[in-house]
Amino acid sequence: MRTLLFVLLGTALAAGADGTLRVRSDVPGVKVLIDDQEAGETPATIERVAPGKHRLTLIKPGYEDHTEDIDVKDGATLRPFVVMKASSASLPAFPIQYRALHQHRSGACVGELTLEADGVKFRATDGQDNFTLPLKEIKSVARSAGGVPFGFGIIEDSIIASKMRAKILPARIEAPGRSYGFWATDTANKETDPDKLDEVARGKTKELFETMYQLWSSQPKK
Amino acid sequence: MRKPLLLALVGALLLTAGPGLSAGQGARPKVLIAVQMTSNDLTVTDMKYRVMFNKRETKAIPVTNFDFAGNFGDEIESGLVDDKRFQWKLASGGDRETLLPFFGPDNWKKSSFPAPAVQADRLLLVAPTYVALISGVRKFVEVDAAVRMADSKSGRILWKKTFRDRTGLPDTLEDMQAENQKVLKETLNKIMVEKLAPEVKAHLLKTS
């Protein structure tokens, strides 16, 4: 009986001695260091981590190093999840210009859209529609055809918007009181007729949206 | 005194020896796990209520630089290491490339797949998507995971199920996207780790 007790005690002590770390990050392949010792790449499961305080460091080129103190408990699994912060060098060089269509309730106008480090500027070719949107005032950047009314059967839409909804979703910016939709085309494209929207470059609109979104979402929280 | 101490050490060694000594590991049927996002967009339904009429807007917000599929697959695989019935393995390299076409719109809705050239007895295919709803009374973000278990030799779908788990928005959607979508990614990861992955694992352990 005493022998059995000793065996059970030994196994129990062994079972509760170490902790486990499951380290995850938003981007894959981030190098994981525990107390400055390499421990793998994310997603990483590190077993037999001695209980107590440790320093967790995550490193990946193009991102700022992330360091935090963790406390590993006996027999427990800790699951740190880290969103790596892209270094500022990953943003493109501004200003960037696009030849763009600005979506109206009915129709669209053509002009030059400029992305700058602190905002977005649009200048219509005919000079009738010019505006500037400071980055700090933008509430949302998404791809959307715009709000569709429901409830009373009113269709707040135009032939152009309904055509584009089927082909290319515009890049849409929301600011207080108003929202703006844009499609981009090649700067060398001479086509200005908004009715010929099947010639608008799908790729340029995607590029415009991705650059605008990257600029906006890299801002600190308000 | 020496003999009991020796026995205690032997017991401890046996426990910590790891899976190498577990019996019959090689005999267990192998299940290959593949997780693939069909879209990296968060689809947001934004409801706005006005005096004369209401508006519904559907927005696509890209969740950028987020290996949700990799983290989810790793979570499922690591949660099933103790399953005595099957050997669960996350597909990588060539196996993963072979399975990717099954997630395409032409194949996903079929009742059977063409038998793939992989070394596995079964295939577990998981396709997560992100959705969100913002309205006056409800605001949540949700992760849906469509799961298929298929027989690898015949390609026949053995069972399929969709899991859905959600959580309220911890902040405004605007602030959740700041600083490289930090809070948005943390929220999606939390849904996966605390709700979705445990549900999927529990279902896998219950079914065959």
Side-chain angles (χ1 to χ4, degrees):
Chain A
M1 186 63 181
R2 202 194 299 177
T3 309
L4 184 62
L5 275 170
F6 271 113
V7 170
L8 286 171
L9 179 66
T11 53
L13 281 171
D18 294 328
T20 302
L21 273 180
R22 292 227 164 92
V23 185
R24 307 272 190 275
S25 58
D26 58 335
V27 292
V30 176
K31 196 182 290 187
V32 177
L33 291 90
I34 312 266
D35 298 328
D36 300 324
Q37 299 292 316
E38 281 197 38
E41 286 189 353
T42 57
T45 299
I46 304 149
E47 292 172 338
R48 301 191 184 129
V49 180
K53 297 212 185 301
H54 299 272
R55 187 167 58 210
L56 174 69
T57 308
L58 273 70
I59 295 172
K60 180 156 183 157
Y63 296 87
E64 293 179 13
D65 294 354
H66 173 89
T67 302
E68 66 177 282
D69 292 323
I70 53 173
D71 191 6
V72 178
K73 304 269 189 255
D74 285 348
T77 299
L78 199 57
R79 297 165 183 274
F81 173 73
V82 175
V83 176
M84 299 295 287
K85 190 174 175 188
S87 60
S88 56
S90 67
L91 281 173
F94 294 103
I96 306 172
Q97 287 179 331
Y98 294 89
R99 184 170 180 77
L101 289 165
H102 171 223
Q103 183 185 27
H104 294 178
R105 280 193 185 195
S106 176
C109 69
V110 180
E112 196 171 79
L113 180 75
T114 306
L115 297 185
E116 295 172 344
D118 60 353
V120 176
K121 206 180 288 185
F122 181 78
R123 297 284 176 266
T125 308
D126 61 8
Q128 298 293 312
D129 195 8
N130 302 327
F131 52 85
T132 301
L133 292 168
L135 205 59
K136 59 180 186 252
E137 288 183 15
I138 295 175
K139 291 171 63 61
S140 165
V141 177
R143 283 178 300 131
S144 166
V148 177
F150 65 96
F152 288 86
I154 301 167
I155 306 299
E156 185 191 271
D157 202 355
S158 68
I159 295 171
I160 289 169
S162 63
K163 273 168 79 173
M164 289 315 298
R165 199 192 303 262
K167 291 178 185 293
I168 308 172
L169 279 182
R172 197 161 191 85
I173 299 176
E174 274 186 41
R178 214 183 146 179
S179 61
Y180 306 81
F182 300 101
W183 297 274
T185 183
D186 192 4
T187 48
N189 192 340
K190 299 283 189 256
E191 183 56 64
T192 58
D193 186 348
D195 283 335
K196 295 190 179 175
L197 289 174
D198 52 357
E199 293 177 29
V200 173
R202 189 183 297 267
K204 271 293 179 183
T205 303
K206 184 170 181 276
E207 181 193 311
L208 163 65
F209 168 68
E210 286 173 354
T211 308
M212 229 168 22
Y213 189 83
Q214 186 187 7
L215 172 64
W216 177 71
S217 67
S218 65
Q219 301 300 301
K221 223 168 138 177
K222 294 191 180 80
Chain B
M1 187 62 191
R2 213 180 285 171
K3 190 180 171 190
L5 206 55
L6 199 61
L7 283 167
L9 281 170
V10 168
L13 272 170
L14 278 172
L15 189 78
T16 53
L21 291 182
S22 43
Q25 182 177 346
R28 285 185 289 168
K30 184 177 172 185
V31 184
L32 213 51
I33 305 168
V35 185
Q36 176 67 19
M37 307 297 299
T38 45
S39 167
N40 287 316
D41 286 344
L42 170 68
T43 304
V44 182
T45 303
D46 193 350
M47 313 279 274
K48 290 185 173 67
Y49 299 99
R50 300 283 184 266
V51 174
M52 294 297 293
F53 54 85
N54 304 320
K55 272 193 187 181
R56 179 181 56 234
E57 184 174 355
T58 304
K59 301 180 198 177
I61 294 173
V63 184
T64 55
N65 292 325
F66 187 19
D67 188 22
F68 184 88
N71 290 340
F72 195 7
D74 191 69
E75 193 70 27
I76 294 173
E77 184 194 35
S78 58
L80 293 168
V81 287
D82 295 328
D83 186 7
K84 300 280 185 282
R85 305 164 306 156
F86 298 103
Q87 185 190 348
W88 302 85
K89 185 87 181 111
L90 195 59
S92 61
D95 281 350
R96 185 168 163 73
E97 293 297 318
T98 304
L99 296 177
L100 278 183
F102 295 163
F103 291 92
D106 293 336
N107 285 318
W108 187 250
K109 293 200 185 307
K110 291 182 179 171
S111 58
S112 68
F113 301 127
V118 293
Q119 295 292 320
D121 299 287
R122 292 202 181 167
L123 307 172
L124 181 74
L125 306 176
V126 184
T129 47
Y130 314 125
V131 292
L133 172 70
I134 298 177
S135 71
V137 291
R138 283 195 304 168
K139 293 181 171 63
F140 62 78
V141 64
E142 177 178 297
V143 182
D144 298 348
V147 178
R148 305 271 190 278
M149 176 75 88
D151 180 84
S152 174
K153 303 290 183 289
S154 63
R156 188 172 58 92
I157 305 293
L158 300 173
W159 56 262
K160 55 184 176 181
K161 187 174 167 69
T162 299
F163 299 84
R164 293 187 171 87
D165 282 293
R166 61 175 66 157
T167 190
L169 298 192
D171 209 335
T172 64
L173 192 59
E174 176 191 355
D175 280 342
M176 286 172 72
Q177 295 176 74
E179 295 172 15
N180 193 31
Q181 302 177 316
K182 184 173 189 296
V183 175
L184 176 59
K185 290 175 183 175
E186 286 171 351
T187 305
L188 292 170
N189 183 70
K190 192 172 176 194
I191 295 172
M192 184 269 285
V193 168
E194 293 182 5
K195 297 183 182 184
L196 200 58
E199 259 190 57
V200 171
K201 279 184 284 187
H203 186 79
L204 291 171
L205 288 170
K206 221 171 42 179
T207 57
S208 57

